Amino acid sequence: MPNIFALIGNSWELYKSQPVLNSVLVWLMIAPMGILNILSMLDEEYGYNQQLWDDGSYGALFVIACIYIACSLLLIWGTACTLIIGKKLISSRAGRSRSSFGTLRTQGRKYIIPLLFTGILQQCFVLFWMILLIVPGIIYAVRTFFYQVIIISDGKVYRDALKKSKSIVTGHTWTALSSLVGIGCVLFLPMLLLDDLSNAVVIAIDERLIPAQVILSAAIYSFVSMVWTLTMVGLYAAIKKLPRTTRSA
């Protein structure tokens, strides 16, 4: 089992070898994330959603809701495209072939709905187990965590994807959980610190620059999220190679 730094390093090498991921990052991750961040910032500052509701401007609220939905679907599309490239980590073909952005978009588009509804299904099961007992809910969430990778790499969707993830992780739940926590800390803690620092600097200089900082925040988060997604593919491949056991852990 490779350590978390080796997994992150492999993902970074794959990212550098695939320039098409830069296009995915800009158009399917940073752009929609930036729009969502700006809308959230404006609502927090001006409370326009409540104002529109109070004024009976339901048409404007519908348009805003459509923007939220469209941006969310674009983010899922970006995740699908990232996973398609990340599949090279499983097939051991990292860096040997490259795809155009147009081809990758077409390939990723068909996975938007499966990723969306499998994610909703997983969250429903997690919530169900959380209502019963907290620990079983956490265990189920960890064991079914790799459903996104399985949808892309194995072609399984919905409950089949969740079952496949559960069968792969069962017996190695602690390994998966500790790896996920470790990778999350290595990737996201520096991102949070950098985001807070950039926000403090912008406020100190001129608050009119806050929209620019919001876009920067979207760029930082999107980049880290892409590396995280690629690393999850590598982690799934590593866990899949571990011997199957009959232990419940």
Side-chain angles (χ1 to χ4, degrees):
M1 179 74 185
N3 62 56
I4 60 175
F5 296 101
L7 291 170
I8 295 172
N10 291 337
S11 301
W12 173 245
E13 291 299 323
L14 177 60
Y15 171 78
K16 291 193 299 182
S17 70
Q18 299 291 328
V20 69
L21 286 176
N22 291 323
S23 298
V24 174
L25 182 64
V26 171
W27 299 111
L28 298 180
M29 299 183 79
I30 294 176
M33 180 63 68
I35 293 172
L36 291 175
N37 284 357
I38 289 176
L39 288 176
S40 178
M41 179 197 70
L42 292 175
D43 186 46
E44 183 177 344
E45 185 171 353
Y46 301 107
Y48 65 83
N49 281 330
Q50 186 62 47
Q51 291 180 17
L52 291 173
W53 179 266
D54 293 339
D55 294 340
S57 302
Y58 304 122
L61 285 172
F62 176 75
V63 171
I64 293 172
C66 288
I67 293 174
Y68 272 100
I69 293 172
C71 288
S72 298
L73 293 176
L74 285 174
L75 289 171
I76 297 174
W77 196 356
T79 299
C81 292
T82 303
L83 288 168
I84 291 172
I85 296 297
K87 189 166 64 171
K88 298 175 186 291
L89 291 171
I90 297 178
S91 60
S92 300
R93 294 185 295 108
R96 295 186 182 182
S97 60
R98 297 181 179 182
S99 304
S100 69
F101 185 41
T103 300
L104 188 59
R105 288 201 314 271
T106 301
Q107 293 173 343
R109 188 168 55 209
K110 66 181 180 181
Y111 293 111
I112 296 175
I113 298 302
L115 286 171
L116 173 62
F117 285 104
T118 306
I120 293 174
L121 183 63
Q122 188 224 26
Q123 291 304 309
C124 289
F125 282 124
V126 170
L127 179 60
F128 170 76
W129 285 109
M130 285 286 191
I131 292 174
L132 296 179
L133 287 170
I134 298 297
V135 173
I138 295 174
I139 292 174
Y140 182 83
V142 172
R143 289 179 175 174
T144 57
F145 182 83
F146 297 100
Y147 74 88
Q148 291 183 324
V149 181
I150 290 169
I151 288 174
I152 305 299
S153 65
D154 298 350
K156 296 182 180 295
V157 297
Y158 311 123
R159 291 198 68 180
D160 288 339
L162 298 176
K163 290 178 180 177
K164 178 67 178 291
S165 178
K166 185 178 178 181
S167 69
I168 294 296
V169 177
T170 297
H172 306 290
T173 305
W174 174 248
T175 299
L177 177 58
S178 59
S179 297
L180 289 171
V181 171
I183 294 168
C185 289
V186 171
L187 290 179
F188 288 100
L189 285 182
M191 179 209 73
L192 293 174
L193 293 174
L194 180 60
D195 188 35
D196 289 343
L197 178 61
S198 64
N199 186 57
V201 170
V202 165
I203 292 177
I205 295 174
D206 191 335
E207 291 189 359
R208 290 174 295 182
L209 296 174
I210 289 180
Q213 192 279 330
V214 168
I215 300 298
L216 176 61
S217 177
I220 295 172
Y221 183 81
S222 297
F223 174 74
V224 174
S225 295
M226 174 171 282
V227 176
W228 162 269
T229 300
L230 293 174
T231 306
M232 291 307 99
V233 180
L235 178 59
Y236 169 76
I239 293 176
K240 192 175 182 181
K241 292 177 181 177
L242 295 175
R244 304 270 65 80
T245 68
T246 57
R247 295 182 291 109
S248 60

